[in-house]
Amino acid sequence: MARSFISIADLTATELKTLVANGIKIKKAIRSGNYKNPAPLQGQTVSLIFSKRSTRTRISTEGAVAYLGGQPMFLGKDDIQLGVNESLYDTTRVVSSMTSAIVARVGPHSDIQALAKDSRVPVINALCEKFHPMQAVADMIAIQEAFGAFSGLKVAWVGDANNVLHDFALASVKLGMDISIATPSGRPVSDEIKKLIANNAESGASAHYTSDPLEAVKDANVIVTDTWISMGQEEETQQKLKEFAGYQVTMDMAAKGGAAANWKFMHCLPRHKEEVDDEVFYSDRSVVFEEAENRLYSAIAVLDAFVVNKGVVE
Ligand code: CP
Ligand code: NVA
């Protein structure tokens, strides 16, 4: 069976470090005009089955396939029979018989698991309700670029206990960083994910959970958040806006909480003003646009490892 990439938990620490290092090498090569394109996917297609909207993930993945010499095939929710006229199982069998990989953005985690189980080709998770691994690889590249190393850093999440957090936290502790996570008291990180984070922590890396954003950002080198209302949760908007009162990332929050002098702000995007104000979002502290651009380089690194090298990350 092909090796799929569903969550950061699927990687060893060495593999994650390799993906980050490869992404940085690819970035330097592309930016300097020295990217050599041996086109290992020439003549092959990579399908992108997306049941939800996307800007960054779609652009970066389609771009990555092109950089590797292949042809991306975007299959949006109104393009194929999936979910309306055909089962996930049948779709997986058919799509994986004609393409070299499936990059999928789905709702339930069980959908991405089902795809991976029945696919003949690698399945790359482009976001499900539980994980967003390609985002986390790009985020780790941004941290490496901003600080030069991971060990000794503290990252703080102030926001929802969601898919982006799960893989961000897994990647952080896997690379030896401490993480402090503030989520509203009614929206704690699940015990299952806490256990997964603990099991993925490099020796010495810790995860701390609180409902107090000021406590979370204390001594943080990185403050990170995401939308409070993930795709599919639109009906909960009014309720969530109430629950997240006091969670907007601001300069004042960082100062009052005692963030590290060199703190940086991260956000996977798309962003809304309620979770971070303009002053932080467009400041020199913010690495959000580098982070977004890194999605291309991390996508090339991930596809190279999982599709070209058949799951060997080197
Ligand atoms: N960060 C991210 O995954 O963005 P898109 O939803 O636009 O792909
Ligand atoms: N948590 C967000 C991330 C979007 C990139 C969502 O699932 O909609």
Side-chain angles (χ1 to χ4, degrees):
M1 211 171 84
R3 183 179 181 196
S4 289
F5 184 37
I6 306 299
S7 159
I8 290 293
D10 299 341
L11 301 173
T12 65
T14 304
E15 287 177 328
L16 177 55
K17 282 179 199 155
T18 301
L19 286 179
V20 169
N22 289 351
I24 289 172
K25 268 189 236 154
I26 291 162
K27 180 172 188 172
K28 284 191 182 137
I30 289 178
R31 279 202 171 172
S32 62
N34 291 318
Y35 180 77
K36 302 219 175 6
N37 187 353
L41 295 181
Q42 189 166 23
Q44 298 181 49
T45 50
V46 171
S47 53
L48 279 70
I49 302 179
F50 276 43
S51 69
K52 293 179 174 177
R53 282 175 187 279
S54 169
T55 298
R56 282 141 289 269
T57 310
R58 177 176 178 179
I59 294 171
S60 59
T61 309
E62 291 207 24
V65 175
Y67 268 102
L68 294 168
Q71 173 73 42
M73 184 186 287
F74 186 79
L75 306 168
K77 69 178 168 51
D78 297 323
D79 297 323
I80 57 173
Q81 309 273 14
L82 177 62
V84 182
N85 200 23
E86 195 160 23
S87 71
L88 193 58
Y89 178 80
D90 293 357
T91 305
T92 313
R93 292 286 305 265
V94 171
V95 176
S96 75
S97 73
M98 289 190 274
T99 67
S100 296
I102 297 175
V103 180
R105 171 166 282 201
V106 298
H109 179 60
S110 55
D111 280 6
I112 196 87
Q113 286 179 308
L115 273 169
K117 180 171 154 289
D118 298 314
S119 171
R120 272 162 48 178
V121 297
V123 172
I124 313 288
N125 186 359
L127 181 136
C128 67
E129 277 169 9
K130 203 162 170 183
F131 295 115
H132 196 6
M134 293 173 88
Q135 180 69 51
V137 177
D139 292 351
M140 295 303 120
I141 292 175
I143 293 177
Q144 167 85 39
E145 288 174 328
F147 296 97
F150 297 106
S151 116
L153 294 180
K154 179 187 166 183
V155 297
W157 176 274
V158 178
D160 199 11
N162 70 10
N163 42 12
V164 173
L165 165 65
H166 295 166
D167 269 330
F168 184 86
L170 286 165
S172 298
V173 296
K174 214 180 249 301
L175 295 177
M177 294 184 282
D178 290 337
I179 186 164
S180 193
I181 298 168
T183 61
S185 49
R187 303 201 176 258
V189 177
S190 72
D191 289 342
E192 182 206 348
I193 294 290
K194 281 184 180 169
K195 204 168 151 195
L196 195 61
I197 292 170
N199 289 342
N200 276 267
E202 278 288 282
S203 63
S206 67
H208 173 73
Y209 302 91
T210 176
S211 59
D212 179 358
L214 296 184
E215 187 184 323
V217 303
K218 179 150 180 39
D219 299 326
N221 305 100
V222 179
I223 300 176
V224 53
T225 191
D226 179 19
T227 182
W228 299 339
I229 297 122
S230 286
M231 288 179 279
Q233 300 180 337
E234 291 75 11
E235 282 182 4
E236 292 178 61
T237 300
Q238 290 315 317
Q239 171 64 23
K240 284 192 114 175
L241 289 178
K242 276 187 222 147
E243 288 181 49
F244 282 82
Y247 270 68
Q248 187 190 45
V249 177
T250 60
M251 295 292 183
D252 195 43
M253 175 191 281
K256 275 197 183 133
N262 62 356
W263 72 274
K264 295 284 184 196
F265 175 74
M266 293 176 64
H267 191 309
C268 67
L269 314 182
R271 163 259 181 176
H272 315 84
K273 284 192 187 185
E274 63 254 20
E275 68 255 9
V276 54
D277 70 2
D278 279 353
E279 190 187 5
V280 169
F281 190 77
Y282 293 110
S283 72
D284 291 345
R285 302 259 182 206
S286 175
V287 296
V288 297
F289 294 111
E290 283 292 321
E291 189 185 351
E293 184 184 330
N294 289 343
R295 295 294 310 272
L296 172 64
Y297 315 120
S298 57
I300 298 174
V302 165
L303 291 178
D304 191 49
F306 283 87
V307 187
V308 178
N309 284 333
K310 312 280 180 227
V312 180
V313 186
E314 59 185 16

